[in-house]
Amino acid sequence: MAGGGSTSASRFLRTTGQHATIEPDAFTAGGYVLSIGGAEQSHVNVDRPEEIFYEYLRRIGHLVDLAAPSGEPIKALHLGAGALTLARYIQATRPGSVQYAVELERELLDFVLRHLPMPDGTNLTTVIGDAREALGALDPGLTFDVVILDIFSGPEAPAHIATGGFYREAGERLGPEGILIVNVGDEPALTLVRSQVAAMRGAMAGVGAVAEAGMFDGRYPGNIILAGTRGPWPESWTAELTARGPHPARVLAGVDLDLYSD
């Protein structure tokens, strides 16, 4: 399928009892859409993996860009694999990177890798299991430049993951300059966002939130990206991430983020 095919594929996922489908994107050459239970979940451009279609994933990509000098290989841990869009982005922009991807659904990971294989030369280790359990089972000496959590798909989140304890465990896996990146999908009241800002602030020295500007006003449901650092939040990142967009972009850190912390 990869590389411009026109057929669709489907796979039943036993863990959730839903069907996953991969279909070509009619509007993007080399583009494919992964849907689960009829809802779009991921977009992949196999011809240009450095181009990310979904807005919130582009914001995560910009944070990854700040993890190390441009083009320099990094070590990345993905908790929630999806269609491996960000793993493909890292391989395209930072060849030679070492990556791990944890996914609860074995059938989903097998399905994605069969129909949308990773580019040649990718160093990716896949792990099937719960994100927190898999994190604890990794080699104790293994640390990462970025840890990306992308499993919160709505206002409710797994209780054992949406906690300060989990964020402390994840933070301990970061190198001194590492970044913990969490995608939080939420409703306009931002109840989950507020709880996760508070949880991350209890675990990380610096915390920032990145999103489309209107998300912070509680106008509509959407995604807010939280980022935690082991040292103070770099003030230069606020301007950098705002400038990179997608626009209109807003970045909150320090006292500006206090309003969104329970």
Side-chain angles (χ1 to χ4, degrees), residues 91-109:
Q91 173 61 20
T93 58
R94 298 178 177 277
S97 293
V98 176
Q99 304 191 69
Y100 288 71
V102 177
E103 173 56 52
L104 186 62
E105 289 269 17
R106 180 181 298 276
E107 291 92 350
L108 177 60
L109 201 53

Side-chain angles (χ1 to χ4, degrees), residues 18-31:
Q18 297 178 309
H19 279 86
T21 62
I22 294 176
E23 299 178 300
D25 178 0
F27 304 101
T28 306

Side-chain angles (χ1 to χ4, degrees), residues 27-31 44-52 88-89 92:
F27 304 101
T28 306
V44 169
N45 188 330
V46 295
D47 291 345
R48 295 180 299 280
E50 71 279 5
E51 297 182 6
I52 299 177
R88 300 170 199 272
Y89 176 81

Side-chain angles (χ1 to χ4, degrees), residues 9-230:
S10 178
R11 178 73 179 268
F12 179 71
L13 306 178
R14 286 180 292 180
T15 300
T16 61
Q18 297 178 309
H19 279 86
T21 62
I22 294 176
E23 299 178 300
D25 178 0
F27 304 101
T28 306
Y32 293 89
V33 176
L34 168 68
S35 298
I36 298 177
E40 289 190 10
Q41 199 268 351
S42 298
H43 184 282
V44 169
N45 188 330
V46 295
D47 291 345
R48 295 180 299 280
E50 71 279 5
E51 297 182 6
I52 299 177
F53 182 78
Y54 287 166
E55 177 182 289
Y56 84 91
L57 288 178
R58 290 207 301 273
R59 298 188 197 281
I60 294 178
H62 295 326
L63 279 160
V64 173
D65 292 343
L66 299 175
S70 179
E72 182 177 297
I74 62 172
K75 287 191 293 184
L77 173 61
H78 306 266
L79 300 174
L84 297 164
T85 302
L86 290 166
R88 300 170 199 272
Y89 176 81
I90 290 173
Q91 173 61 20
T93 58
R94 298 178 177 277
S97 293
V98 176
Q99 304 191 69
Y100 288 71
V102 177
E103 173 56 52
L104 186 62
E105 289 269 17
R106 180 181 298 276
E107 291 92 350
L108 177 60
L109 201 53
D110 290 346
F111 178 59
V112 167
L113 290 173
R114 177 183 177 185
H115 294 284
L116 301 173
M118 298 297 290
D120 291 342
T122 301
N123 184 346
L124 177 70
T125 299
T126 57
V127 180
I128 303 299
D130 173 81
R132 189 166 188 176
E133 292 177 1
L135 182 69
L138 291 173
D139 185 327
L142 187 59
T143 61
F144 299 92
D145 299 293
V146 293
V147 174
I148 303 168
L149 178 69
D150 188 9
I151 60 177
F152 297 168
S153 58
E156 296 183 1
H160 69 299
I161 292 177
T163 68
F166 172 78
Y167 290 138
R168 282 190 292 273
E169 293 171 17
E172 290 170 357
R173 289 290 183 167
L174 293 171
E177 305 299 321
I179 312 172
L180 173 60
I181 305 171
V182 181
N183 171 43
V184 185
D186 208 356
E187 301 297 333
L190 301 182
T191 302
L192 180 59
V193 168
R194 295 174 194 276
S195 70
Q196 297 313 292
V197 169
M200 187 176 282
R201 279 183 153 182
M204 307 296 294
V207 177
V210 186
E212 190 275 328
M215 273 300 300
F216 293 106
D217 298 329
R219 298 177 185 172
Y220 34 71
N223 300 82
I224 291 179
I225 310 303
L226 304 183
T229 55
R230 298 194 68 176

